[in-house]
Amino acid sequence: PGERARGDRGGVSAASRASADAVAMALGGGEDGAELREAMLGAASYGALGAAGDEDVLLESGPGDLTMAGRRGAVVARLGRTALSVHDSLGRRLREVMLEDVTAIYLRRRGGAARKGAAEHAGNGGAAPARGDGAAAADTFFRDESFEDDEDLELVVVSFPPAAGAGRSGSSSCCCCSLPCCCCDSAPDPFQVHREAAADLVLTSGTPDFIHAWEQGIRDAVAGSSNYDVCVSRARRMLVFVSPASGNGRAVKVFHSQVRPLLEASRISLRVIETNLQHHCTEVILASTISELDGIIVVGGDGMIYELLQGLKNHPECAGGSNIPVAIGVIPCGSGNGLATSLSVQQDRPLGVDTATMAVAKGMTQDVDVWNVTYM
């Protein structure tokens, strides 16, 4: 389901051609019918991919196969190697999502809750319980659901494109060197918002198998568009450490304004700890069950990462630090950000909060060496 035989005209599906022929016949043929038929065929060809260019079409829906939330009537969807585009029957592009901006793909029952409603908040009415462990706010929890084969489902695609005027690369630099940092107030703000949440793209179909096929197709295309392993198709659980002292005291604000919204929209359950004492991070890690986590995130600088590694090194699940079974997410909010800078150079990506948060949301990982240094 979801794959269509193509005719001899630039990727036009048999279903699209049949629909165009039917419209032309309904108009009694003639010039008007011929013009509309050509318009519909043009919408079904490669030229309608817009920013995706002349790339191959990986998946294409026929007229009547899909509908889009917020739009009356059927739509035509095309999945390319770099973008997913949705058009009306006349070829006008209604939405385009670049695959590199996708952070979550999931199914839910039709009419299900939107992003925030999908989270179950701990505590009383969503408020954080009083517990003195440095929790910054109510923890959030997401879970994957199981569906029957014939259930009426909708496919949700979550994306965070660059903010208007931000472009797809670049970062702020310090006034005294070429590295992005927040060590001096005269430097451009390294925590400038570079990405903004786009409205979720929600597709539905009268055929359940069709929705499942599109979920699989989009998930594979997103993974194929990256040079790294990505995970955007399941709910995940992560422990977050936020250092209030990092970034001249701005790390907490950055986390709540930029990092947390993106991660929660991507169906990542967060347990948030604001560290308030030296070695607080180490103590929390030693008391945690690492196997229950999909990741540990540090919103701070190199000092916080050091504390985290001390806890992992001495944790019974980590074999003395030689086998750490969970990925560490580094959100650069310190004064130097040495590790984050090294990772960004290695990956040839701009250093910044938005880039790091997107990497965490998409599950992009890179192996690094861990050294144990003994002072004599």
Side-chain angles (χ1 to χ4, degrees):
E3 295 185 344
R4 293 287 185 263
R6 310 199 184 283
D8 57 1
R9 178 191 175 105
V12 178
S13 68
S16 296
R17 186 181 298 280
S19 179
D21 291 340
V23 171
M25 290 180 64
L27 292 177
E31 185 174 337
D32 291 341
E35 288 181 356
L36 185 53
R37 180 181 185 277
E38 286 301 307
M40 293 183 69
L41 289 175
S45 68
Y46 292 131
L49 284 172
D54 293 329
E55 62 180 348
D56 294 335
V57 177
L58 303 177
L59 203 59
E60 177 186 22
S61 69
D65 289 333
L66 293 174
T67 57
M68 182 176 72
R71 174 79 183 184
R72 296 183 62 182
V75 297
V76 175
R78 289 186 188 85
L79 176 63
R81 299 188 185 280
T82 61
L84 168 65
S85 59
V86 181
H87 308 260
D88 64 16
S89 59
L90 296 180
R92 293 171 296 195
R93 189 170 68 221
L94 305 174
R95 281 287 302 272
E96 183 170 64
V97 177
M98 304 305 293
L99 300 186
E100 66 178 354
D101 299 333
V102 173
T103 62
I105 305 162
Y106 65 98
L107 296 174
R108 68 186 182 201
R109 292 178 178 86
R110 187 176 295 202
R115 286 178 182 169
K116 281 295 183 182
E120 299 177 1
H121 292 274
N124 185 10
R131 55 188 181 186
D133 64 354
D139 299 337
T140 54
F141 301 92
F142 297 86
R143 66 177 184 271
D144 290 318
E145 294 186 80
S146 299
F147 304 105
E148 300 295 334
D149 292 340
D150 58 349
E151 281 198 70
D152 190 11
L153 304 176
E154 54 190 18
L155 172 61
V156 183
V157 180
V158 180
S159 64
F160 280 77
R168 292 194 170 270
S169 63
S171 56
S172 303
S173 298
C174 175
C175 62
C176 54
C177 63
S178 61
L179 296 178
C181 68
C182 55
C183 61
C184 38
D185 294 334
S186 60
D189 187 1
F191 302 136
Q192 175 186 358
V193 177
H194 294 287
R195 289 185 178 270
E196 57 188 10
D200 292 345
L201 173 60
V202 182
L203 299 174
T204 59
S205 175
T207 305
D209 284 348
F210 200 67
I211 284 295
H212 286 286
W214 273 88
E215 181 211 13
Q216 181 69 48
I218 297 173
R219 188 173 63 209
D220 291 346
V222 169
S225 68
S226 172
N227 294 325
Y228 303 90
D229 292 335
V230 298
C231 178
V232 294
S233 58
R234 67 179 180 87
R236 286 157 287 164
R237 300 161 297 177
M238 297 192 184
L239 174 62
V240 184
F241 291 100
V242 183
S243 173
S246 294
N248 292 330
R250 291 184 292 179
V252 173
K253 178 180 178 181
V254 168
F255 171 73
H256 289 293
S257 63
Q258 293 179 236
V259 179
R260 185 169 199 158
L262 194 155
L263 296 180
E264 290 185 343
S266 304
R267 302 174 71 234
I268 297 177
S269 303
L270 302 176
R271 179 192 174 200
V272 183
I273 305 293
E274 285 187 16
T275 57
N276 49 33
L277 296 170
Q278 190 176 12
H279 307 307
H280 187 182
C281 176
T282 302
E283 294 171 357
V284 172
I285 283 294
L286 288 173
S288 301
T289 303
I290 304 300
S291 59
E292 294 179 350
L293 301 172
D294 295 298
I296 303 173
I297 303 171
V298 172
V299 184
D302 295 322
M304 175 75 77
I305 298 171
Y306 173 80
E307 281 200 18
L308 170 61
L309 289 175
Q310 302 317 299
L312 292 173
K313 180 177 76 72
N314 295 300
H315 198 285
E317 295 183 56
C318 297
S322 62
N323 182 25
I324 299 175
V326 66
I328 300 173
V330 181
I331 309 297
C333 289
S335 58
N337 303 312
L339 179 58
T341 301
S342 298
L343 292 174
S344 67
V345 171
Q346 181 69 26
Q347 297 178 358
D348 193 24
R349 292 177 177 271
L351 174 63
V353 170
D354 62 319
T355 304
T357 306
M358 283 289 290
V360 171
K362 299 180 74 168
M364 300 167 61
T365 61
Q366 177 180 339
D367 291 336
V368 296
D369 294 325
V370 179
W371 290 74
N372 183 43
V373 179
T374 302
Y375 293 92
M376 302 300 292

